[in-house]
Amino acid sequence: MKRWTARVAILACFGCSGVAAWAIAASRPAEPETGDLRLAVEAFMVDVRDAKGRVPEAVAPRDLAVSEDDESRAVVAVEQPGEPGFEPWRVTVLFDLTTSGEGSMARSARLLEERAQTLTDLGWVEVVVADPEPRLIMPATRDALDLAGALGRVSLLERGADRLVEQRREALGLLERVTGAERQQVIAEAVREEVSLVEDRQRAWLGWLSAGRPRGPQAVVLVTDGFDLSPEAALRRLAGEEVPAGTGESLSVDALGKALTAYRWVVFPLALRGSRVEEPSRFGVVENPDNPSVPVLGTFRIPGRKSPAERAGLAEAPAPVPQRPEEALERLAFLSGGEAVMEADQLDGALEGLAGRWRVRYSSAREPASTGSSLAVTSTREGWSVRAPQWSGGATPEAVAALRAERLLLGEEVPGDLEVVAVIETDGAVPRLEARVAVGSGVDPAARVTLVAVGEAGRQVSHRRAVPSRLEDPSQVRLSLPLDLETTGIDRVAVMVEDLVTGRWGGTLAGLVVRGEEADEAREAFFDVDLGLLPAPRPLHLLRPDGGYLRGPVSFETVVSDPTIERVDFLLDGRRVEQSESAPFRAVLNLGRLPLRRLVEAVAYDAAGALVARDEVTINAGGDQFAVRFTEPLDPDALGAVFDVAAEVEVPAGQRIERVEFFRDEEKVATLFRPPFRHRMAGGAATPGFVRVKARLESGTEVEDLLVLGPGTADRVEVNLVELYVVVSDRAGRPVRDLPQEVFEVREEGAPQELAGFNSAGDLPVTVGLAIDASASMFAKLPSVQEAARQFLGGLEDGRDRAFLVEFDSRPSLAAEPTGDLDRVVTAVDRLESGGQTSLWESIVFSLVQLQGAGGRKALVVYSDGADQDKGFDYRTCLRFARKVGIPVYVIVSNNEAVRTDGIGLRTFGDRLDRLTRSVGGKTYLVRSGQDLTEVYREIERELASQYLLTYYSGAGREGGWRGVEVEVKGRGLSARTVAGYER
């Protein structure tokens, strides 16, 4: 029976930021060859030297002794380079600019450049620079000239930032100005910052080096000036303080060393001592013809010369460099069987030893799924020395699992191949994890669990074993275990699950569930039944018809996976209009003459008339639709003691969901970060009330849906809140800002309305649609229009505001989807080319459809030369549609005839435009051909920045239809402009 072992890594982040997004592949350390004998054999590389310090010509198994976890192990074979199956070395030269000085970086690069041939003789060599994130400078090569060129470019173009030294310099400067308890606070904060910086660097190195690699030996030349294992002791010495007894290490390289050893890396830290007095080093000496060995630890000095401080009679301030950086680097090299290189001539010996390393195979008693074992290798030959790894890696290192979890917290997709869904119960004495893992077939449940968490209480790490249970579906297992996790203030939790035998893994952001007082009574219902976390196939799926906008008769089809479905009803905006009683269930619905935003629903029933499933689509909502809706329960009137709620979220193009929250009445009971958005609740029809779901985008925009529970209350709550965006102008047409609420009066159908809200809307995010005429008649005008559009987009705030571009000639098309990346829209503007006729009215409708689904402020800015050549779309349809959607439209027409006659010469074209733009609170601009459009676009920007937001509740129970709205503003010469009304 095959044994399956899994590990779960949980990393909770409480407002975390600045975590590097490292490239961690789905692979794991290479496994031994398959076969009964080979499964127990491990291999590693060793540097063996004889009594004279030379690589011996032959090494036999009897010459070496291997112990694993202090138990002697048999050496199976010792293989020499050049033998069959001995792959060439894979060498990574990694320059870490963050922890390296400018001089040492350049010296190291030049030294390696001189040895490019020696490096490529070893095998494949790649060059990587981390500043702070790793980036590839030279892909793996065996061409010495290419490698030398890459290293030469590094020495000339890359500069060490040495942030650690900069942080210490700032801390020492603060310490000169404070005394007493404040000094201790400064030191404590400086230590925290240094620990954070160094741990970040270690994660960056590990992230790159743990990416997928081929089988074979691997070595990394790590160029860094190192760090102190005890930052507090170093800072206190630099500050002239005594170091209290017990001030120990607060940094470690052991986890990094073990992880790299598990991936078969041999580490060679390269931190050169200075080679010229102009380039001092922190590592012990500066060479000088007169005095070739002058100590400079802590203070950089040139022998025979006085420093400026000495000439002024002042004491020399110590340099804020690490005091014992070689300790960390030597420890890292020792753990991996490598060598710390701090002299130029040491590098030649290290590379020679690397070329002559032997591969040792030994019989291991370690379980394949273990996290590794300590390793000790000695020689039985007198005078021989052995340099070997101190750790025998097993499953994927725990540090790598944590990095994968951090990627999830950053919103990145993980490349693992296990499907995982999980929730964490955060209320109660002991938090609890519930997870389901789709493991496929042929796997038996025996699991190990690793927990890694970061929160307000610090980074929490624990490694656990757990036994998963088989679900009804044999391809899935369930994990359930208590957690030693501080859950106060949790923001989000990442969950990693790994089969440590096969290396298969996967992850997700866990849902956070809060149980109320009913948790103890209903625990069996919550945790001892199938949680329903993985979504079952949809019984009914309503397909969305194709088309930029839909009107008139449109065919709707469904896909049905439940054989019990006998009938499907089709509803349009909540009213049943069609019925289908045979598969495939489809219907033709008349959507009307205008492409309005409509809700189409399909409701499925079985032969007995019982409700089986339902699905819905919102059409004509454009690319910026953001909505959330409940999909379960199907029947809120008939709920048991435990019931499931589920929601679907429609996300605007280019945006991402930050979270989805479920509420029972006003209490938040669950926070989910990834679909499926579903949750199990206690208390159904016997406990009337409501459930609410709120979805939030990373941009901060939120939408909600609400469902009332209890007999006869299966309905969503409809709130008749009317929003009016208003622009106030003076007699000269200039927008007026900073008016108080008291000067505004709103009437609906002539009746005064009480304002529920009043705000200056100019600082709120806005979505702007740009519609630009690219017909043949625009050939000469298009460049100036493009320039003005670029400047207009430059006035919006990147990341906060959103925009899109519609290009129109004979037909409109979406040239750039709604996005907060305004540079993408600028690029689309630059690509416009003229050709075809002008479909102005259809293009306005098409553009307004794109805006229907956008939330908050929105506006449409149209530019055309006024040559109205619409064949299939008339002005009246455009006017009716614009009035119904109520989005401000600004139209710029460049036409000399229209300017000369004020629009009359073009069959009252200007009057038509004025009627349209006035009815929605916009404006028409008639300009001459060749006129600079920059000021026109600036005026539109000023108007949008000067808007007021007025809200009021329309009277309930009124009949539908058009409702006229008027806004008056008190003040001499002031006038208000907003939509003419709205459709109920």
Side-chain angles (χ1 to χ4, degrees):
M1 181 173 65
K2 183 178 178 181
R3 185 175 184 184
W4 186 77
T5 306
R7 179 171 64 185
V8 177
I10 297 182
L11 181 54
C13 175
F14 304 68
C16 62
S17 63
V19 183
W22 303 281
I24 304 173
S27 64
R28 63 186 300 277
E31 297 291 339
E33 288 84 347
T34 57
D36 293 340
L37 176 63
R38 289 294 199 178
L39 282 176
V41 174
E42 290 288 339
F44 56 87
M45 304 297 294
V46 297
D47 183 346
V48 182
R49 302 296 176 104
D50 61 19
K52 296 183 179 181
R54 298 174 300 192
V55 176
E57 294 183 358
V59 178
R62 64 177 178 273
D63 295 331
L64 299 176
V66 175
S67 64
E68 183 182 67
D69 291 334
D70 298 325
E71 296 287 337
S72 179
R73 301 289 180 234
V75 178
V76 175
V78 180
E79 299 163 336
Q80 190 175 19
E83 292 184 0
F86 206 107
E87 297 93 345
W89 282 91
R90 184 91 173 192
V91 180
T92 294
V93 180
L94 199 163
F95 295 88
D96 189 77
L97 273 61
T98 305
T99 57
S100 296
E102 183 174 333
S104 58
M105 261 280 303
R107 287 196 303 276
S108 298
R110 288 195 297 269
L111 183 69
L112 292 167
E113 179 185 359
E114 294 168 0
R115 290 154 179 79
Q117 186 64 59
T118 304
L119 288 165
T120 53
D121 286 345
L122 288 168
W124 297 92
V125 185
E126 69 177 3
V127 180
V128 180
V129 169
D131 60 343
E133 305 309 319
R135 53 185 171 89
L136 186 63
I137 299 297
M138 166 62 73
T141 181
R142 298 204 69 171
D143 189 310
L145 290 178
D146 286 348
L147 177 61
L151 292 168
R153 289 192 297 274
V154 170
S155 68
L156 292 173
L157 302 178
E158 304 292 346
R159 293 290 178 265
D162 224 349
R163 281 186 52 208
L164 186 148
V165 171
E166 290 301 315
Q167 287 185 182
R168 284 194 174 179
R169 182 175 287 112
E170 292 176 6
L172 291 172
L174 286 174
L175 288 172
E176 292 178 356
R177 301 192 295 271
V178 297
T179 59
E182 287 186 85
R183 288 181 62 86
Q184 307 313 309
Q185 293 176 2
V186 169
I187 290 175
E189 180 60 27
V191 169
R192 282 194 295 269
E193 290 182 358
E194 186 165 323
V195 169
S196 175
L197 173 67
V198 175
E199 289 181 346
D200 176 74
R201 303 323 303 142
Q202 293 188 45
R203 288 193 292 268
W205 304 337
L206 179 59
W208 184 272
L209 299 173
S210 62
R213 302 285 176 179
R215 294 173 182 265
Q218 301 182 138
V220 55
V221 179
L222 179 61
V223 180
T224 171
D225 281 345
F227 50 89
D228 284 312
L229 293 177
S230 179
E232 182 180 352
L235 279 168
R236 290 188 181 279
R237 289 192 186 98
L238 288 170
E241 295 188 0
E242 292 186 4
V243 181
T247 304
E249 298 181 358
S250 53
L251 281 165
S252 173
V253 295
D254 283 22
L256 175 64
K258 290 179 179 179
L260 292 181
T261 303
Y263 281 88
R264 298 183 176 178
W265 286 100
V266 182
V267 185
F268 292 86
L270 180 58
L272 296 177
R273 294 187 172 99
S275 59
R276 302 194 310 273
V277 294
E278 292 85 359
E279 293 180 350
S281 166
R282 67 186 60 168
F283 288 97
V285 298
V286 171
E287 296 175 6
N288 181 276
D290 300 325
N291 188 348
S293 182
V294 179
V296 292
L297 277 177
T299 303
F300 296 159
R301 298 189 57 190
I302 299 176
R305 300 182 188 178
K306 288 187 177 182
S307 68
E310 288 174 321
R311 289 196 295 270
L314 302 175
E316 185 75 44
V321 297
Q323 303 297 285
R324 296 186 175 93
E326 66 280 356
E327 290 180 347
L329 302 183
E330 289 173 350
R331 176 67 178 169
L332 184 59
F334 170 74
L335 289 170
S336 68
E339 180 180 354
V341 178
M342 297 184 184
E343 298 279 3
D345 55 4
Q346 279 184 279
L347 182 59
D348 293 320
L351 295 179
E352 179 187 352
L354 193 62
R357 290 210 172 201
W358 304 79
R359 179 164 57 196
V360 176
R361 296 185 181 273
Y362 76 99
S363 179
S364 172
R366 175 175 47 81
E367 294 182 3
S370 75
T371 56
S373 303
S374 63
L375 196 65
V377 184
T378 58
S379 175
T380 59
R381 301 280 293 269
E382 185 178 353
W384 281 26
S385 61
V386 179
R387 197 187 302 269
Q390 304 299 302
W391 190 257
S392 176
T396 302
E398 295 157 0
V400 174
L403 286 178
R404 291 169 176 168
E406 288 177 352
R407 290 187 61 194
L408 283 174
L409 293 176
L410 289 170
E412 299 182 34
E413 295 296 326
V414 295
D417 53 5
L418 294 182
E419 183 180 2
V420 181
V421 288
V423 294
I424 292 178
E425 181 192 18
T426 61
D427 197 17
V430 180
R432 190 173 190 84
L433 167 73
E434 294 285 318
R436 286 180 61 180
V437 185
V439 297
S441 58
V443 180
D444 291 315
R448 186 177 60 198
V449 178
T450 298
L451 307 177
V452 183
V454 173
E456 290 178 347
R459 194 165 185 264
Q460 307 169 67
V461 181
S462 65
H463 307 287
R464 307 279 303 281
R465 286 189 176 270
V467 178
S469 57
R470 280 282 171 184
L471 296 172
E472 194 172 309
D473 182 348
S475 68
Q476 299 180 15
V477 295
R478 172 175 174 240
L479 294 169
S480 177
L481 70 160
L483 304 179
D484 182 15
L485 177 67
E486 175 57 53
T487 61
T488 304
I490 278 185
D491 180 60
R492 57 177 57 190
V493 178
V495 177
M496 300 299 303
V497 178
E498 185 168 8
D499 175 351
L500 298 185
V501 173
T502 66
R504 298 172 65 222
W505 59 278
T508 187
L509 291 179
L512 305 177
V513 176
V514 180
R515 304 295 185 196
E517 295 180 355
E518 80 283 354
D520 291 335
E521 300 175 4
R523 185 172 299 276
E524 182 175 350
F526 281 117
F527 292 123
D528 292 338
V529 299
D530 182 357
L531 290 183
L533 293 170
L534 289 177
R538 275 187 178 181
L540 174 72
H541 181 55
L542 178 60
L543 301 178
R544 183 186 301 275
D546 295 331
Y549 56 82
L550 301 173
R551 58 180 183 146
V554 176
S555 178
F556 289 84
E557 299 184 359
T558 64
V559 175
V560 172
S561 61
D562 189 334
T564 66
I565 294 177
E566 296 286 340
R567 184 184 97 229
V568 174
D569 290 351
F570 292 85
L571 288 73
L572 181 61
D573 293 333
R575 183 172 61 89
R576 192 178 77 172
V577 291
E578 292 290 342
Q579 185 179 96
S580 177
E581 297 181 348
S582 62
F585 300 98
R586 60 177 57 148
V588 176
L589 308 184
N590 188 347
L591 303 181
R593 295 183 60 190
L594 302 178
L596 295 170
R597 183 176 172 182
R598 310 293 293 269
L599 178 66
V600 179
E601 299 172 89
V603 184
Y605 300 89
D606 61 16
L611 179 63
V612 176
R614 66 191 307 149
D615 194 17
E616 64 184 46
V617 295
T618 302
I619 59 171
N620 295 332
D624 230 21
Q625 164 79 356
F626 179 36
V628 61
R629 63 182 179 90
F630 279 108
T631 57
E632 294 182 37
L634 293 176
D635 187 0
D637 293 350
L639 301 178
V642 175
F643 66 98
D644 292 335
V645 292
E648 287 190 352
V649 184
E650 193 163 355
V651 183
Q655 297 215 54
R656 293 195 304 187
I657 297 174
E658 179 186 286
R659 65 185 63 211
V660 171
E661 297 169 322
F662 287 101
F663 297 81
R664 182 65 162 92
D665 297 327
E666 291 299 332
E667 179 185 3
K668 182 166 66 176
V669 295
T671 304
L672 308 179
F673 302 92
R674 291 193 171 187
F677 299 116
R678 56 190 303 132
H679 176 60
R680 177 150 289 172
M681 290 189 177
T687 311
F690 63 87
V691 292
R692 180 165 57 95
V693 60
K694 179 168 70 174
R696 178 183 173 89
L697 297 177
E698 288 183 344
S699 63
T701 306
E702 296 180 345
V703 291
E704 296 187 6
D705 193 14
L706 188 142
L707 198 61
V708 178
L709 306 177
T713 59
D715 200 2
R716 290 175 170 83
V717 173
E718 180 181 354
V719 178
N720 298 316
L721 181 68
V722 179
E723 293 184 343
L724 300 177
Y725 288 95
V726 181
V727 173
V728 178
S729 303
D730 60 17
R731 284 197 179 97
R734 295 171 301 212
V736 179
R737 307 182 69 170
D738 301 325
L739 294 174
Q741 176 179 339
E742 292 74 23
V743 304
F744 290 88
E745 184 176 309
V746 178
R747 286 187 171 85
E748 180 181 303
E749 292 294 296
Q753 303 295 315
E754 180 181 354
L755 291 182
F758 174 84
N759 289 287
S760 176
D763 294 330
L764 298 176
V766 64
T767 301
V768 178
L770 286 181
I772 297 180
D773 187 347
S775 62
S777 58
M778 287 288 297
F779 177 78
K781 305 171 186 175
L782 194 54
S784 62
V785 175
Q786 289 171 309
E787 176 58 29
R790 284 192 290 268
Q791 293 188 30
F792 175 78
L793 290 167
L796 302 178
E797 186 172 330
D798 199 49
R800 184 199 71 168
D801 299 328
R802 295 172 62 78
F804 64 86
L805 174 66
V806 170
E807 172 188 7
F808 66 93
D809 41 47
S810 302
R811 293 293 303 274
S813 62
L814 191 59
E817 293 184 341
T819 177
D821 184 358
L822 302 178
D823 287 339
R824 293 176 58 187
V825 187
V826 171
T827 300
V829 169
D830 291 338
R831 292 175 178 169
L832 292 176
E833 296 181 356
S834 59
Q837 296 182 322
T838 304
S839 55
L840 178 61
W841 308 127
E842 181 181 8
S843 300
I844 291 175
V845 171
F846 179 87
S847 302
L848 290 174
V849 167
Q850 311 310 312
L851 284 165
Q852 282 192 100
R857 292 200 304 150
K858 41 198 170 185
L860 173 64
V861 181
V862 184
Y863 180 92
S864 176
D865 63 3
D868 177 17
Q869 296 167 324
D870 270 296
K871 293 182 178 179
F873 225 97
D874 59 73
Y875 164 74
R876 290 184 178 276
T877 301
C878 177
L879 176 63
R880 289 180 56 208
F881 182 70
R883 285 163 56 96
K884 282 181 178 288
V885 298
I887 296 172
V889 178
Y890 297 87
V891 180
I892 306 168
V893 175
S894 177
N895 188 291
N896 291 341
E897 180 66 12
V899 174
R900 187 179 64 81
T901 63
D902 199 22
I904 297 175
L906 291 178
R907 299 180 182 178
T908 67
F909 180 67
D911 181 59
R912 287 182 173 186
L913 289 175
D914 277 342
R915 287 179 59 197
L916 187 151
T917 57
R918 281 200 309 266
S919 67
V920 291
K923 197 172 182 180
T924 301
Y925 299 88
L926 300 178
V927 300
R928 293 187 179 277
S929 298
Q931 180 178 334
D932 186 3
L933 301 174
T934 303
E935 186 55 38
V936 176
Y937 277 102
R938 284 178 181 168
E939 183 176 330
I940 296 173
E941 283 183 356
R942 286 193 291 268
E943 282 219 357
L944 294 177
S946 304
Q947 286 180 324
Y948 299 88
L949 174 58
L950 281 61
T951 59
Y952 67 93
Y953 289 98
S954 180
R958 295 180 179 176
E959 296 181 0
W962 177 259
R963 308 198 67 80
V965 173
E966 295 176 301
V967 176
E968 293 183 0
V969 59
K970 302 172 186 176
R972 181 174 297 180
L974 300 182
S975 60
R977 211 166 66 245
T978 188
V979 295
Y982 66 95
E983 192 90 20
R984 285 197 52 159

